[in-house]
Amino acid sequence: MHALRGGDVVGDHTVMFAALGERLELTHRASDRAIFARGAIRAAQWVAGRKPGVYDMQDVLGRPEPKVGLLNVGEEDEKGNGVVKEAHQLLKAAHGFRYAGNVEGRDIPVGMCRGRPLDVVVCDGFVGNVTLKFYESAARVFIGMMRREVPDVLQRPEMAKVLRVLDYATYGGAPLLGVRGVTIICHGSSLPKAIRNAIHVAHQAVDVHLSTHIGEELAGEGAAR
C-alpha cells in the first residue's frame, strides 16, 4: 500500500497486488479536502461496530448479495424449455442473492439487465460453453476489423487494456463446481499465458477458501430444509 499527502495533495492512495512479472494497482486520488473528508467519514461509519475480520469488495460497495440472472431466450416467465422454466422457479424461491429473473445473451457483455448491474449469469454447461466460444470469436472479429480499418488505433498505449479484456487468456480458467477442492477448467487450446493465469485463479480460490465456503453454504441450505 502506498499513501501520499503533502502540499496541495489531499489524498493519494494506491493498493498494489503483485505477482511475478505483473501487478494490479487500485488508486484513489482526491484533490478536494471536502471530498476526501466525506470519503474518510463514510469509511469510518461503515466499519464502526462491525466484527473484526476480512471484508471483500462486495461488502464495501454495499452489494453483499450478488444479482443473478438466468440465461433464456426472453425475459417473460413462460419462455424457455422445461429445464429452464424449472430453474427459473427454483431461483425465484432461493435466498442469499437477488434474482433478476430471465436475462438474454445481449445482457452479458454489458453486465446490465433492465438498467441494473448483473453479477452472475446461470445456464447449463452446454449453453455456457457455446456462449463463451461465441464471445471469444466475437473478440477476434472485432480486433481483425480494427486491424484492417484502423490499424493505427491498435498501436495506442491505452488499447492494451482493451485488448486484455477481450483476450480469453487473461482470465485463464474458471473453478469447476461440485468438486471438493479446487479444480480449474481451461480452454482446450490454452496457450502458456492462459495456463499461467489459470494458476493464478486456482491460487486465489485456495486463498479465499472457495470450496469450504461453498460447502458451508450448501450445508446451511440443507439444514434449513
Side-chain angles (χ1 to χ4, degrees):
M1 173 177 279
H2 167 76
L4 172 65
R5 297 184 197 174
D8 61 350
V9 179
V10 177
D12 189 327
H13 300 83
T14 300
V15 179
M16 287 184 291
F17 300 89
L20 185 62
E22 61 182 349
R23 69 185 183 191
L24 171 67
E25 296 185 2
L26 301 177
T27 301
H28 172 262
R29 293 186 176 93
S31 56
D32 181 277
R33 295 187 184 279
I35 293 175
F36 185 76
R38 283 198 297 269
I41 292 172
R42 183 175 179 183
Q45 290 175 333
W46 183 86
V47 78
R50 292 184 182 271
K51 296 179 180 179
V54 178
Y55 296 93
D56 61 23
M57 289 296 287
Q58 287 187 340
D59 293 323
V60 175
L61 295 177
R63 292 167 63 186
E65 296 182 348
K67 191 166 186 180
V68 178
L70 176 65
L71 187 58
N72 204 337
V73 295
E75 298 179 355
E76 298 82 3
D77 287 353
E78 64 272 14
K79 291 290 181 70
N81 57 28
V83 173
V84 174
K85 289 180 180 177
E86 183 179 356
H88 177 55
Q89 297 303 320
L90 290 172
L91 288 169
K92 285 173 69 175
H95 303 284
F97 57 85
R98 288 163 40 195
Y99 181 47
N102 291 322
V103 301
E104 300 181 65
R106 62 188 178 188
D107 300 319
I108 298 175
V110 295
M112 299 285 290
C113 174
R114 293 180 282 279
R116 295 182 179 180
L118 184 62
D119 301 301
V120 179
V121 176
V122 177
C123 61
D124 65 46
F126 180 85
V127 173
N129 194 292
V130 171
T131 302
L132 288 174
K133 298 288 178 59
F134 170 77
Y135 283 114
E136 180 187 331
S137 66
R140 287 202 296 264
V141 170
F142 172 72
I143 294 171
M145 291 175 63
M146 293 191 68
R147 283 187 177 136
R148 287 195 307 270
E149 305 298 332
V150 284
D152 294 344
V153 173
L154 291 176
Q155 305 307 317
R156 296 178 182 175
E158 58 268 24
M159 283 301 296
K161 196 175 295 185
V162 175
L163 296 177
R164 279 198 299 271
V165 172
L166 295 174
D167 184 5
Y168 82 91
T170 301
Y171 310 95
L176 176 64
L177 304 182
V179 177
R180 182 171 295 181
V182 174
T183 302
I184 305 298
I185 296 293
C186 305
H187 200 303
S189 58
S190 292
L191 296 174
K193 175 184 176 182
I195 297 299
R196 182 194 67 190
N197 289 331
I199 294 172
H200 290 168
V201 173
H203 188 274
Q204 182 183 26
V206 171
D207 273 353
V208 301
H209 307 290
L210 176 67
S211 181
T212 301
H213 290 166
I214 291 175
E216 290 173 350
E217 287 288 334
L218 293 175
E221 287 290 327
R225 291 178 188 151

